[in-house]
Coordinates of all heavy atoms in Angstrom, one line a residue:
Chain S
T9 N 11.4 8.5 9.1 CA 11.0 9.9 9.1 C 9.8 10.2 10.0 O 9.2 11.2 9.9 CB 10.7 10.3 7.7 OG1 9.9 9.2 7.0 CG2 11.9 10.5 6.9
C11 N 7.0 8.0 10.8 CA 5.7 7.5 10.5 C 5.2 6.6 11.6 O 6.0 6.3 12.6 CB 5.7 6.7 9.2 SG 6.9 5.4 9.2
S12 N 4.0 6.0 11.5 CA 3.5 5.3 12.6 C 4.3 4.0 12.9 O 4.5 3.5 14.0 CB 2.0 4.9 12.4 OG 1.9 4.1 11.3
N13 N 4.8 3.4 11.7 CA 5.6 2.2 11.9 C 6.9 2.4 12.7 O 7.3 1.5 13.4 CB 6.0 1.6 10.5 CG 4.8 0.8 9.9 OD1 3.9 0.5 10.6 ND2 5.0 0.5 8.6
C14 N 7.5 3.6 12.5 CA 8.7 3.9 13.3 C 8.4 4.0 14.8 O 9.1 3.5 15.6 CB 9.3 5.2 12.8 SG 9.4 5.4 11.0
E38 N 15.9 10.9 12.4 CA 14.8 11.3 11.5 C 15.2 12.1 10.3 O 14.4 12.2 9.3 CB 13.7 12.1 12.3 CG 13.1 11.3 13.4 CD 11.9 11.9 14.0 OE1 11.8 13.1 14.1 OE2 11.0 11.2 14.4
I40 N 16.6 12.7 6.8 CA 16.8 11.8 5.7 C 18.2 11.6 5.2 O 18.6 10.5 4.9 CB 15.8 12.2 4.5 CG1 15.8 11.2 3.4 CG2 16.2 13.6 4.0 CD1 15.1 9.9 3.8
Q41 N 18.9 12.6 5.3 CA 20.4 12.5 4.9 C 21.1 11.5 5.8 O 21.9 10.7 5.4 CB 21.1 13.8 4.9 CG 20.5 14.7 3.8 CD 21.5 15.9 3.5 OE1 22.7 15.8 3.5 NE2 20.9 17.1 3.2
I43 N 19.7 9.2 7.6 CA 19.1 7.8 7.4 C 19.8 7.1 6.2 O 20.2 6.0 6.2 CB 17.6 7.9 7.1 CG1 16.9 8.3 8.4 CG2 17.1 6.5 6.6 CD1 15.4 8.5 8.2
M44 N 20.0 7.9 5.1 CA 20.5 7.4 3.9 C 22.0 6.9 4.0 O 22.5 6.1 3.2 CB 20.4 8.3 2.7 CG 19.0 8.6 2.2 SD 18.0 7.1 2.1 CE 18.9 6.2 0.7
R45 N 22.7 7.5 5.0 CA 24.1 7.1 5.2 C 24.1 5.6 5.6 O 25.2 4.9 5.4 CB 24.7 7.9 6.4 CG 25.3 9.1 5.8 CD 26.2 9.8 6.7 NE 26.1 11.2 6.3 CZ 25.5 12.2 7.0 NH1 25.0 11.9 8.1 NH2 25.4 13.4 6.4
G47 N 22.4 3.4 4.1 CA 22.2 2.6 2.9 C 21.0 1.7 2.9 O 20.9 0.7 2.2
I48 N 19.9 2.1 3.7 CA 18.7 1.2 3.6 C 17.8 1.8 2.6 O 17.8 3.0 2.3 CB 18.1 1.1 5.0 CG1 17.7 2.5 5.5 CG2 19.0 0.3 5.9 CD1 16.8 2.4 6.7
M49 N 16.8 1.0 2.1 CA 15.8 1.6 1.2 C 14.4 1.5 1.7 O 13.5 2.1 1.1 CB 15.9 0.7 -0.1 CG 17.1 1.0 -0.9 SD 16.7 1.0 -2.6 CE 16.1 -0.6 -2.8
S50 N 14.2 0.9 2.8 CA 12.9 1.0 3.4 C 13.0 1.3 4.9 O 13.9 0.8 5.5 CB 12.0 -0.2 3.1 OG 12.8 -1.4 3.0
T51 N 12.1 2.0 5.4 CA 12.1 2.3 6.8 C 10.9 1.7 7.5 O 9.9 1.3 6.8 CB 12.0 3.9 7.0 OG1 10.8 4.3 6.3 CG2 13.2 4.6 6.5
P52 N 10.9 1.6 8.8 CA 11.9 1.9 9.7 C 13.1 0.9 9.6 O 12.9 -0.2 9.4 CB 11.2 1.8 11.1 CG 10.1 0.9 10.9 CD 9.7 1.1 9.5
A63 N 15.4 -3.6 8.2 CA 14.9 -2.5 7.4 C 13.6 -2.9 6.9 O 13.4 -4.0 6.3 CB 15.9 -2.2 6.3
G64 N 12.6 -1.9 7.0 CA 11.3 -2.1 6.3 C 10.3 -2.8 7.2 O 10.4 -4.0 7.5
G65 N 9.4 -2.0 7.7 CA 8.3 -2.6 8.6 C 8.7 -2.7 10.0 O 9.8 -2.8 10.3
V66 N 7.6 -2.9 10.8 CA 7.9 -3.2 12.2 C 8.4 -4.6 12.4 O 7.9 -5.5 11.8 CB 6.6 -3.0 13.0 CG1 6.8 -3.3 14.5 CG2 5.9 -1.7 12.8
S68 N 9.4 -8.2 13.9 CA 8.6 -9.1 14.7 C 9.1 -9.2 16.1 O 10.3 -8.9 16.3 CB 8.6 -10.5 14.1 OG 9.9 -11.1 14.2
Q70 N 9.6 -11.6 17.9 CA 10.7 -12.7 18.0 C 12.1 -12.1 17.7 O 13.1 -12.4 18.4 CB 10.4 -13.8 17.0 CG 9.9 -15.1 17.7 CD 9.4 -16.1 16.7 OE1 8.7 -15.7 15.7 NE2 9.7 -17.3 16.8
E73 N 13.3 -9.8 20.4 CA 13.8 -10.6 21.5 C 15.2 -11.2 21.2 O 16.1 -11.2 22.1 CB 12.8 -11.7 21.9 CG 11.6 -11.2 22.6 CD 10.5 -12.3 22.7 OE1 10.6 -13.4 22.3 OE2 9.5 -11.9 23.4
G74 N 15.4 -11.6 20.0 CA 16.7 -12.1 19.6 C 17.8 -11.0 19.8 O 18.9 -11.3 20.2
Q77 N 18.8 -10.4 23.3 CA 19.3 -11.5 24.1 C 20.8 -11.3 24.4 O 21.6 -11.2 23.6 CB 19.2 -12.8 23.1 CG 19.1 -14.0 23.8 CD 17.6 -14.2 24.3 OE1 17.5 -14.3 25.5 NE2 16.6 -14.2 23.5
Chain V
M1 N 18.9 -19.4 23.9 CA 17.6 -20.0 23.7 C 17.7 -21.5 23.6 O 18.5 -22.0 22.8 CB 17.2 -19.4 22.3 CG 15.6 -19.3 22.2 SD 15.1 -18.9 20.6 CE 15.4 -17.2 20.5
T9 N 7.4 -21.9 20.4 CA 6.9 -20.8 19.7 C 6.6 -21.1 18.3 O 5.9 -20.3 17.6 CB 8.0 -19.7 19.7 OG1 9.2 -20.3 19.2 CG2 8.3 -19.1 21.0
R10 N 6.9 -22.3 17.8 CA 6.5 -22.7 16.5 C 5.1 -23.2 16.5 O 4.7 -24.0 17.3 CB 7.4 -23.8 16.0 CG 8.8 -23.3 15.7 CD 9.5 -24.3 14.8 NE 8.9 -24.5 13.6 CZ 9.4 -25.2 12.6 NH1 10.6 -25.8 12.7 NH2 8.7 -25.4 11.4
P88 N 12.3 -4.5 -1.8 CA 12.8 -3.3 -2.7 C 14.2 -3.5 -3.1 O 14.5 -3.1 -4.3 CB 12.8 -2.2 -1.6 CG 11.7 -2.6 -0.6 CD 11.8 -4.1 -0.5
E89 N 15.1 -4.1 -2.4 CA 16.5 -4.3 -2.8 C 16.5 -5.2 -4.1 O 17.3 -4.9 -5.0 CB 17.3 -5.0 -1.7 CG 17.7 -4.1 -0.5 CD 16.5 -3.8 0.4 OE1 15.4 -4.5 0.3 OE2 16.6 -2.9 1.2
R90 N 15.7 -6.2 -4.2 CA 15.7 -7.1 -5.4 C 15.1 -6.3 -6.6 O 15.5 -6.5 -7.7 CB 15.0 -8.4 -5.1 CG 15.6 -9.2 -4.0 CD 15.0 -10.5 -3.8 NE 15.4 -11.5 -4.8 CZ 14.8 -12.6 -5.1 NH1 13.6 -12.9 -4.5 NH2 15.2 -13.4 -6.0
R92 N 15.3 -3.3 -7.1 CA 16.3 -2.3 -7.6 C 17.3 -3.1 -8.5 O 17.7 -2.5 -9.5 CB 17.0 -1.7 -6.4 CG 18.1 -0.7 -6.8 CD 18.5 0.0 -5.6 NE 19.3 -0.8 -4.7 CZ 20.1 -0.2 -3.7 NH1 20.1 1.0 -3.5 NH2 20.7 -1.0 -2.9
C117 N 5.8 1.0 2.0 CA 5.0 1.9 2.8 C 5.3 3.3 2.4 O 6.5 3.6 2.0 CB 5.4 1.6 4.3 SG 5.5 3.1 5.3
C119 N 5.9 5.9 3.8 CA 6.9 6.7 4.5 C 8.3 6.3 4.0 O 9.3 6.9 4.3 CB 6.8 6.5 6.0 SG 6.6 4.8 6.5
S120 N 8.4 5.2 3.2 CA 9.7 4.7 2.6 C 9.9 5.4 1.2 O 10.9 5.1 0.6 CB 9.7 3.2 2.4 OG 9.8 2.6 3.7
V122 N 11.0 8.2 0.1 CA 12.2 8.9 -0.1 C 13.4 8.0 -0.1 O 14.2 8.0 -1.0 CB 12.4 10.1 0.9 CG1 13.8 10.7 0.9 CG2 11.4 11.2 0.5
P123 N 13.6 7.2 1.0 CA 14.8 6.3 1.0 C 14.8 5.4 -0.3 O 15.8 5.2 -0.9 CB 14.6 5.4 2.2 CG 13.6 6.1 3.0 CD 12.8 7.1 2.2
L124 N 13.6 5.0 -0.7 CA 13.5 4.1 -1.9 C 13.9 4.9 -3.1 O 14.7 4.4 -4.0 CB 12.1 3.7 -2.0 CG 11.9 2.5 -2.9 CD1 11.4 1.4 -2.0 CD2 10.9 2.8 -4.0
F125 N 13.4 6.1 -3.2 CA 13.8 7.0 -4.3 C 15.3 7.2 -4.5 O 15.9 6.9 -5.5 CB 13.1 8.4 -4.1 CG 13.3 9.3 -5.3 CD1 12.3 9.4 -6.2 CD2 14.4 10.1 -5.4 CE1 12.5 10.3 -7.3 CE2 14.6 10.9 -6.5 CZ 13.6 11.0 -7.4
I126 N 15.9 7.5 -3.3 CA 17.4 7.7 -3.4 C 18.1 6.4 -3.7 O 19.0 6.4 -4.5 CB 17.9 8.3 -2.0 CG1 17.2 9.6 -1.8 CG2 19.4 8.5 -2.0 CD1 17.4 10.2 -0.4
G127 N 17.6 5.3 -3.1 CA 18.3 4.0 -3.3 C 18.2 3.7 -4.7 O 19.2 3.1 -5.3
F128 N 17.1 4.0 -5.4 CA 17.0 3.6 -6.9 C 18.0 4.5 -7.7 O 18.7 4.0 -8.5 CB 15.6 3.9 -7.3 CG 14.6 2.7 -7.2 CD1 14.9 1.8 -6.1 CD2 13.6 2.5 -8.0 CE1 14.0 0.7 -6.0 CE2 12.7 1.4 -7.8 CZ 12.9 0.6 -6.8
Q130 N 20.6 6.1 -6.8 CA 22.0 5.9 -6.5 C 22.5 4.7 -7.3 O 23.7 4.6 -7.6 CB 22.0 5.6 -5.0 CG 23.0 6.4 -4.3 CD 23.1 5.9 -2.8 OE1 22.2 5.4 -2.2 NE2 24.3 6.1 -2.3
W195 N 22.6 17.3 -2.8 CA 23.2 16.2 -2.0 C 22.8 14.8 -2.5 O 23.6 13.9 -2.3 CB 22.8 16.4 -0.5 CG 21.4 16.1 -0.1 CD1 20.4 17.0 -0.1 CD2 20.8 14.9 0.3 NE1 19.2 16.4 0.2 CE2 19.5 15.1 0.5 CE3 21.4 13.6 0.5 CZ2 18.6 14.1 0.9 CZ3 20.5 12.6 0.9 CH2 19.1 12.9 1.1
M199 N 25.6 12.0 -4.0 CA 25.8 10.7 -3.3 C 26.6 9.7 -4.1 O 26.4 9.7 -5.3 CB 24.5 10.1 -2.9 CG 23.8 10.9 -1.8 SD 22.5 10.1 -0.9 CE 23.4 8.9 0.0
E218 N 4.3 -17.5 7.0 CA 4.4 -16.5 8.0 C 4.3 -15.1 7.5 O 3.7 -14.2 8.1 CB 5.8 -16.7 8.7 CG 5.8 -16.0 10.1 CD 7.2 -16.2 10.8 OE1 7.7 -17.4 10.8 OE2 7.7 -15.2 11.2
E226 N -0.9 -6.8 9.4 CA -0.6 -5.4 9.2 C -1.6 -4.7 8.3 O -2.0 -3.5 8.7 CB 0.8 -5.3 8.5 CG 1.3 -3.9 8.6 CD 2.7 -3.8 8.1 OE1 3.5 -4.7 8.4 OE2 3.1 -2.8 7.4
K230 N -5.3 -2.9 9.8 CA -5.3 -1.4 9.6 C -6.5 -0.9 8.9 O -7.1 0.1 9.2 CB -4.1 -1.0 9.0 CG -3.5 0.3 9.5 CD -2.2 0.7 8.8 CE -1.0 0.2 9.5 NZ 0.3 0.4 8.7
I317 N 7.5 15.7 1.7 CA 8.6 14.7 1.9 C 9.5 14.7 0.7 O 10.7 14.7 0.9 CB 8.0 13.3 2.2 CG1 7.1 13.3 3.5 CG2 9.1 12.3 2.4 CD1 6.4 12.0 3.7
K320 N 12.5 17.2 0.0 CA 13.9 17.0 0.6 C 14.8 16.4 -0.4 O 16.0 16.5 -0.3 CB 13.8 16.0 1.8 CG 13.1 16.6 3.0 CD 13.0 15.6 4.1 CE 12.1 16.2 5.2 NZ 11.6 15.1 6.1
V321 N 14.3 15.8 -1.5 CA 15.2 15.2 -2.5 C 15.1 15.8 -3.9 O 15.9 15.6 -4.7 CB 15.0 13.7 -2.5 CG1 15.7 13.0 -1.4 CG2 13.6 13.3 -2.7

Side-chain angles (χ1 to χ4, degrees):
Chain S
T9 42
C11 58
S12 62
N13 278 348
C14 314
E38 296 193 327
I40 187 70
Q41 295 197 36
I43 293 175
M44 289 319 292
R45 273 196 205 107
I48 58 166
M49 287 220 298
S50 31
T51 55
V66 181
S68 68
Q70 252 171 318
E73 283 172 358
Q77 208 73 242
Chain V
M1 213 188 281
T9 52
R10 287 196 61 173
E89 285 75 13
R90 297 185 82 197
R92 179 168 73 167
C117 141
C119 49
S120 289
V122 167
L124 200 115
F125 185 95
I126 300 173
F128 273 28
Q130 237 187 328
W195 71 271
M199 288 195 71
E218 200 181 309
E226 194 174 321
K230 219 178 268 174
I317 299 173
K320 289 176 190 161
V321 283

